[in-house]
Amino acid sequence: MDETGTHRTVLLEEAVAALAVRQDGTYVDATFGRGGHARAILDRLGPGGRLIALDRDPDAIGAASGIGDGRFTARHARFGDLERTVRDAGVERVDGVLFDLGVSSPQIDRPERGFSFRFDAPLDMRMDTTRGETAADWIARASVAELKGVIRDYGEERFAGQIATAIAAARQRQPVRTTGELAGIVAAAVRTREVGQDPATRTFQALRIHVNQELAELSLALPQAVDLLAPHGRLAVISFHSLEDRIVKRFMRDEAHPQVPERLPLRAAELPKPRLRLVGKPVRPSAAEVAANPRARSAVLRVAERAA
Ligand SMILES: C[S@@+](CC[C@H](N)C(=O)[O-])C[C@H]1O[C@@H](n2cnc3c(N)ncnc32)[C@H](O)[C@@H]1O
């Protein structure tokens, strides 16, 4: 595979260990990418095991077709459609679901995907290139308030107001069509910057999350994963930024400790039953992994088990 086709899998051993793979189990890799986790799961499965992989990126599914293994099924789907996709593959219950969130290296490294300000290329940013609105199209039609809201909320960018105003002024002169144009507009609008970080980093993250509805997808998928899990089945999620991790952490906590509305007179037998049990502490990559793969720097793996 060429340099831009490879993905260095983050927390490979840790995530696969977290699934506690049983030889005859059925597992879901909700984010196939280039299959680093998927291959490690297949290595641990016996002849009766099964792995279903999803990805919304057609390039990832193209790469998955290279895995010639009767135990493996790949589907081009959003994980927001997890339950239907898995049931359509003829499976009702699974023993583990893995999410390795965010973008893959090939998505970032291929200029034509438009995710990176390191190249000047059309401003696309869609993980699923077969449908949906590109970042350029959204920027062309969004109001200044919408631009500001997305850049502030998904980029956690202090200068969201200045950047939104600058984008709106620039697009009056000519449409913002490329990554280079957008990076230039942001750099001119934002003077101070964290050391070692490009001024456009937060804006690009924000647009990517918005274009792909990443947080909404995650919120839709987590309860579906729990619905699919058999008793003692494992849910393992790797997040790469605090917005994702907050959703995962709260979801697992709420499922492990369901809240009772205050003053509701419930008897012990009527109390909501936890659907999940938290497994271990959050796992972060070793210093050696971060040194070898800087993308692992912000990763955190959370694991939970379906209650019996
Ligand atoms: C970090 S990569 C996964 C890498 C993979 N674990 C490996 O070892 O090669 C994340 C992948 O998830 C996919 N993805 C992100 N959000 C998705 C969603 N909502 N539905 C389906 N796939 C999604 C991306 O297209 C990308 O290929």
Side-chain angles (χ1 to χ4, degrees):
M1 212 183 282
D2 67 311
E3 258 302 289
T4 57
T6 54
H7 174 83
R8 193 179 291 205
T9 299
V10 172
L11 289 168
L12 175 60
E13 293 304 327
E14 295 86 342
V16 176
L19 291 174
V21 175
R22 292 200 346 244
Q23 292 224 339
D24 60 346
T26 298
Y27 294 86
V28 174
D29 177 352
T31 51
F32 178 81
R34 287 299 177 275
H37 289 113
R39 286 186 180 81
I41 294 168
L42 284 168
D43 283 347
R44 285 163 177 77
L45 285 175
R50 188 156 179 203
L51 174 64
I52 300 162
L54 276 63
D55 207 295
R56 73 195 307 191
D57 185 336
D59 289 351
I61 296 306
S65 65
I67 298 190
D69 189 318
R71 304 166 302 169
F72 177 70
T73 309
R75 290 280 185 263
H76 179 222
R78 302 179 299 117
F79 57 56
D81 252 345
L82 183 70
E83 223 172 331
R84 190 166 60 83
T85 308
V86 170
R87 294 201 203 283
D88 284 354
V91 168
E92 292 296 319
R93 283 276 166 274
V94 305
D95 300 293
V97 182
L98 171 67
F99 294 88
D100 177 17
L101 299 170
V103 278
S104 65
S105 309
Q107 287 168 335
I108 292 281
D109 293 342
R110 290 205 165 125
E112 71 274 17
R113 301 300 304 263
F115 282 103
S116 176
F117 45 76
R118 286 186 285 129
F119 320 100
D120 191 22
L123 190 54
D124 189 325
M125 292 199 186
R126 290 169 303 160
M127 292 181 188
D128 184 350
T129 46
T130 68
R131 57 173 66 87
E133 191 174 36
T134 66
D137 289 343
W138 183 72
I139 283 180
R141 73 168 177 84
S143 68
V144 177
E146 285 170 330
L147 287 166
K148 178 181 171 183
V150 162
I151 296 168
R152 180 195 58 214
D153 296 345
Y154 298 158
E156 301 185 288
E157 170 62 85
R158 282 184 292 151
F159 303 110
Q162 286 101 303
I163 296 170
T165 307
I167 292 172
R171 76 184 173 189
Q172 290 216 307
R173 295 191 291 276
Q174 59 171 44
V176 182
R177 304 296 325 168
T178 73
T179 50
E181 286 162 13
L182 179 62
I185 294 164
V186 177
V190 173
R191 305 251 169 243
T192 55
R193 188 37 64 197
E194 292 129 86
V195 196
Q197 193 181 72
D198 189 282
T201 303
R202 290 173 178 276
T203 300
F204 272 64
Q205 171 184 301
L207 288 174
R208 191 200 93 196
I209 292 174
H210 174 72
V211 163
N212 296 291
Q213 291 293 296
E214 290 179 36
L215 304 182
E217 276 287 303
L218 181 59
S219 300
L220 280 173
L222 291 172
Q224 296 180 47
V226 178
D227 287 344
L228 282 169
L229 284 177
H232 305 296
R234 292 284 179 96
L235 172 63
V237 188
I238 304 172
S239 308
F240 287 87
H241 55 75
S242 56
L243 300 169
E244 284 168 351
D245 187 48
R246 201 173 304 149
I247 292 173
V248 176
K249 182 177 164 180
R250 288 190 182 153
F251 175 79
M252 288 186 173
R253 183 198 61 199
D254 292 349
E255 291 283 351
H257 306 285
Q259 296 297 306
V260 184
E262 260 181 59
R263 290 199 292 277
L264 208 62
L266 291 181
R267 289 193 294 270
E270 294 167 335
L271 291 173
K273 303 246 176 327
R275 295 206 305 161
L276 287 181
R277 180 182 73 77
L278 304 182
V279 177
K281 291 198 159 53
V283 180
R284 294 193 163 75
S286 64
E289 178 170 2
V290 174
N293 179 13
R295 208 184 78 84
R297 189 178 57 239
S298 49
V300 52
L301 165 69
R302 292 183 188 273
V303 187
E305 184 176 286
R306 179 87 154 108

